[in-house]
Amino acid sequence: MAVYGSTPDDIARAAGILRAGGLVAFPTETVYGLGADARSARAMERLFTAKGRPADHPVIVHLARAGAVTVWAREVPAPAWALAARFWPGPLTLVLKRAPGVLDAVTGGQDTVGLRIPGHPVALALLEAFGGGLAAPSANRFGRVSPTTAGHVTTEMGSAVDAVVDGGPCAVGLESTILDLSGEIPRLLRPGAVSADALAEVIGSPVAGRAVGGTRTPGGLPSHYAPDTPVLLVAAAALDAAVRARTARNEPVAVLSIGPPAGDVQHVRWETMPADPREYGRVLYARLREIDRWACCCVLIERPPAEMAWEAVRDRLERAAGEGRVDPP
Ligand code: TXA
Ligand code: MG
């Protein structure tokens, strides 16, 4: 895998690989995406193989300009334009009714397509140079934690990818908010940096939550975004006891807490996480990747506050914990 910087030459070369049907990972403000020409069935096939992703899961098409939305969506309701004007380029994906000709590989065979303009200068330069829509799921293997540095991509994807454009660590660190505008009412499919409240304010009406057992979004599977190390979410008040229960059995345990470490921390890899939800989201995936290198029995993660500002972090932590999310005794 070639590693490129972000000079005009680098961008031109990366765009050339994409035009030839290759796979190029690139930075966005949320996480690194694995880009492929969304109009090329062959490139899409390579993309799904590289990710190990089931064919019926849709991918987001990344665009350089809001005007291109009408190329990919056959109906663009007024709220979509208002949200695009307010939040693009930025961490918001809109799901709209797909235009004729959009590949089934992009939509997962559904009648909708996910679109976003990423808020990262390198991503925008690459999209401009490429000149079309880039399908770009997070540049990780299916079900795993999204990469937030170019190094994460090279470690995880290796030779399955032709090149990665290094644009430094991602500023947001969690995947985009996904809003489905293809139905009767706007529905939040995945919380992210753009909050449900911020969306509702622009639309002028409330945004519904996720339908239980709804659309085929991988982000909608309970055990997604998971590290190899089992994750247990623990209430702040129960954290000390949970740690001691394990260290008493000589099990090396990792802890991510917002508060400071407890007094006796032998056999414990204790990481204090930022108390600000945006900062926490920015560093979370890199921390989870580090923990996988420590060979701990599990990672105990303090449950974040139940406030709206923590919604995206809470969502990813609950998915990472999957079925193991019950507080241990
Ligand atoms: O921040 C992000 O969105 C990153 C960066 C690279 O842009 N991309 C990303 O892609 O997270 P991915 O494929 O890992 O997750 C995209 C999510 C999936 O859960 C997918 O099912 C959902 O978006 N999605 C895409 N198109 C959809 C559609 N038409 N209907 C419903 N969900 C859709
Ligand atoms: Mg993903």
Side-chain angles (χ1 to χ4, degrees):
M1 181 196 306
V3 180
Y4 293 146
S6 49
T7 66
D9 253 21
D10 288 324
I11 298 294
R13 249 176 297 177
I17 294 174
L18 289 164
R19 274 194 296 271
L23 302 181
V24 176
F26 63 93
T28 80
E29 79 283 34
T30 58
V31 301
Y32 273 71
L34 183 53
D37 182 352
R39 289 290 188 204
S40 161
R42 201 170 53 87
M44 292 302 298
E45 201 181 305
R46 272 199 69 196
L47 178 66
F48 277 75
T49 306
K51 275 203 56 114
R53 185 172 185 158
D56 64 350
H57 287 297
V59 293
I60 297 168
V61 178
H62 295 62
L63 307 170
R65 293 149 194 256
V69 163
T70 53
V71 173
W72 297 88
R74 67 175 186 273
E75 269 173 40
V76 187
W81 290 121
L83 290 166
R86 172 72 179 78
F87 295 112
W88 282 354
L92 173 66
T93 296
L94 298 177
V95 171
L96 302 171
K97 290 193 174 133
R98 74 157 149 184
V102 179
L103 293 174
D104 277 344
V106 168
T107 67
Q110 303 183 71
D111 192 34
T112 57
V113 62
L115 302 170
R116 103 173 178 99
I117 301 183
H120 193 295
V122 174
L124 291 172
L126 183 63
L127 284 161
E128 284 286 356
F130 173 69
L134 285 179
S138 51
N140 53 277
R141 293 190 192 277
F142 183 66
R144 296 184 38 87
V145 173
S146 296
T148 54
T149 67
H152 294 163
V153 179
T154 47
T155 307
E156 175 148 348
M157 302 303 295
S159 59
V161 172
D162 298 304
V164 57
V165 180
D166 190 345
C170 301
V172 173
L174 299 179
E175 304 81 356
S176 60
T177 302
I178 304 181
L179 182 69
D180 185 354
L181 289 175
S182 69
E184 296 282 293
I185 48 162
R187 190 175 289 283
L188 189 72
L189 299 184
R190 180 172 73 185
V194 177
S195 72
D197 282 354
L199 295 170
E201 200 186 307
V202 172
I203 299 175
S205 66
V207 166
R210 270 163 294 174
V212 179
T215 42
R216 282 169 287 170
T217 60
L221 298 175
S223 77
H224 210 65
Y225 312 105
D228 291 335
T229 312
V231 173
L232 293 156
L233 280 185
V234 186
L239 196 56
D240 248 34
V243 170
R244 279 169 210 287
R246 286 175 175 75
T247 53
R249 296 196 296 262
N250 277 333
E251 290 175 354
V253 54
V255 181
L256 294 185
S257 71
I258 298 169
D264 165 26
V265 288
Q266 268 189 358
H267 304 294
V268 182
R269 304 285 306 247
W270 199 301
E271 288 270 342
T272 306
M273 295 291 282
D276 172 71
R278 284 186 186 261
E279 239 346 77
Y280 189 115
R282 190 174 68 77
V283 300
L284 175 62
Y285 288 158
R287 292 281 195 284
L288 292 179
R289 278 173 188 271
E290 268 165 47
I291 285 168
D292 274 344
R293 298 208 307 258
W294 296 345
C296 291
C297 68
C298 57
V299 51
L300 304 174
I301 304 184
E302 178 183 337
R303 270 184 198 281
E307 295 151 21
M308 172 70 116
W310 287 89
E311 193 185 8
V313 166
R314 225 172 22 241
D315 171 74
R316 301 316 188 276
L317 290 179
E318 279 170 6
R319 290 170 197 278
E323 296 309 310
R325 76 179 57 154
V326 189
D327 289 0

